[in-house]
Amino acid sequence: MKTRLIAAAALLAGLLVPLAPAGAADYEIERMQGHVYRFTAGNYRSVFMVTDAGIVATDPIDAEAAAWLGRELETRFDVPLRYVIYSHNHMDHTYGGRALDGEGVRFVAHRLARADLVHTRADTRIPELTFNDEMTLHLGAARVHLRYHGANNGRGSISMHFQPADVMHVVDWIVLGRMPYRDLKGYDIQGMIDSTDEILATDFDLFVGGHAEAGSRADVARYRDYLEQLYTRVRDGMLAGKSLATLQDEIRLPAFDDLRMYDEWLAPNIAGVYRTLNDRSYMDMRPDVPDTPE
């Protein structure tokens, strides 16, 4: 009983939810700023905003996580879920949508994300609301502005700006406090840089990512700086005719060696940029690029 009273007090204070059902020890809810909360499921994060007119949630992640979140929303808040926004098309963020579906709940995604889910016959709730460039969802006096920034990660990946809390949420193509994932599968490296520049041109107070840490505008700028230096070093090495193995042996970015997974993922990050420049820009076929030694 004492433990439950402590948990209830923490709940009212908007702190972490310590009591989770069996098998959900990695699930947490915490208030980030204003009425915007972060939902953590292991290494994944999504956000939701609570308003007098209802709740708008983002990526369901998977069926088990979404079912747990849905129960928590019903238990903790006296307003219904109104919207679920998919950040992009990838299954590790969009699956589980059916667990949050219900009467009056509308699902939202960029048109490219929805098209990919349809074409690949994804086993999740398919969004009915789509947009091309921008869309704003209004819930009473609150709103969330959705924006497409072009290619960066997956298909139809967007930013979500929650107001009046002034929280910016981006999944996968901005990661704070940790290296970008392994060999950048599914990433467009130049698109990531360009999209992050557009985020930095937007006024926001707090950044919350789909993985790793929350942070400030300065943290987002530092992440962009890492991407730019990584891209520049690999591109210039390729223009000099250096092989991938040589680049992985030579490139060090000590200004960023405090990032989690730096030692483990720097070489895969280099390989990801190298592959992307060959796949998208045909660097290995250009006449102004020396033949790469075997």
Side-chain angles (χ1 to χ4, degrees):
M1 176 62 73
K2 182 179 180 181
T3 301
R4 292 188 179 276
L5 290 175
I6 293 172
L11 206 65
L12 292 174
L15 302 177
L16 297 182
V17 178
L19 290 180
D26 290 335
Y27 299 155
E28 295 177 337
I29 291 174
E30 56 188 314
R31 179 178 290 167
M32 300 305 293
Q33 191 157 282
H35 295 289
V36 174
Y37 296 76
R38 179 170 65 181
F39 169 49
T40 295
N43 293 322
Y44 289 81
R45 289 95 168 91
S46 64
V47 304
F48 63 89
M49 179 171 66
V50 181
T51 78
D52 292 340
I55 299 170
V56 53
T58 63
D59 293 349
I61 301 173
D62 62 36
E64 181 181 341
W68 185 91
L69 176 62
R71 291 192 296 268
E72 291 297 310
L73 295 180
E74 290 182 5
T75 300
R76 294 187 60 176
F77 304 104
D78 293 328
V79 291
L81 179 63
R82 293 299 188 196
Y83 294 101
V84 177
I85 306 167
Y86 290 165
S87 63
H88 62 305
N89 65 310
H90 286 162
M91 49 77 62
D92 55 335
H93 293 275
T94 60
Y95 270 40
R98 292 193 185 96
L100 292 178
D101 199 4
E103 184 177 356
V105 181
R106 308 188 76 183
F107 281 66
V108 186
H110 187 266
R111 65 174 182 82
L112 294 177
R114 183 190 188 279
D116 185 78
L117 294 172
V118 171
H119 293 158
T120 61
R121 300 182 181 180
D123 186 16
T124 190
R125 171 68 154 78
I126 301 300
E128 67 269 25
L129 290 180
T130 64
F131 64 99
N132 288 323
D133 299 315
E134 300 180 72
M135 172 188 280
T136 300
L137 303 176
H138 294 270
L139 294 95
R143 64 192 184 278
V144 54
H145 184 69
L146 313 178
R147 183 181 176 190
Y148 179 58
H149 300 269
N152 41 56
N153 174 250
R155 292 185 181 273
S157 189
I158 60 175
S159 64
M160 294 161 266
H161 192 188
F162 292 82
Q163 295 284 18
D166 206 12
V167 173
M168 178 68 73
H169 181 53
V170 166
V171 175
D172 282 355
W173 47 274
I174 297 178
V175 182
L176 303 185
R178 196 206 73 189
M179 297 283 279
Y181 188 68
R182 297 183 183 273
D183 66 346
L184 311 182
K185 181 178 180 179
Y187 288 81
D188 181 320
I189 183 66
Q190 186 59 57
M192 291 166 67
I193 294 170
D194 293 343
S195 297
T196 305
D197 280 337
E198 289 189 359
I199 293 297
L200 288 169
T202 304
D203 289 331
F204 66 91
D205 185 58
L206 177 67
F207 178 89
V208 180
H211 297 280
E213 307 302 327
S216 66
R217 177 183 300 276
D219 296 319
V220 175
R222 184 171 187 244
Y223 165 83
R224 186 272 320 276
D225 291 345
Y226 169 77
L227 292 181
E228 287 185 334
Q229 291 188 35
L230 175 71
Y231 176 87
T232 298
R233 292 289 301 277
V234 175
R235 179 204 61 202
D236 290 352
M238 295 176 74
L239 288 172
K242 294 183 179 180
S243 68
L244 173 59
T246 298
L247 294 176
Q248 289 175 317
D249 184 60
E250 291 182 352
I251 293 176
R252 294 293 179 270
L253 300 171
F256 304 97
D257 63 8
D258 60 307
L259 297 178
R260 285 189 289 118
M261 306 305 293
Y262 174 86
D263 291 332
E264 296 87 349
W265 289 357
L266 178 59
N269 274 196
I270 294 167
V273 177
Y274 186 93
R275 182 193 65 246
T276 298
L277 285 171
N278 282 336
D279 287 349
R280 296 181 181 272
S281 303
Y282 284 9
M283 291 282 286
D284 54 344
M285 299 172 64
R286 280 173 37 172
D288 56 331
V289 175
D291 289 337
T292 301
E294 296 297 331

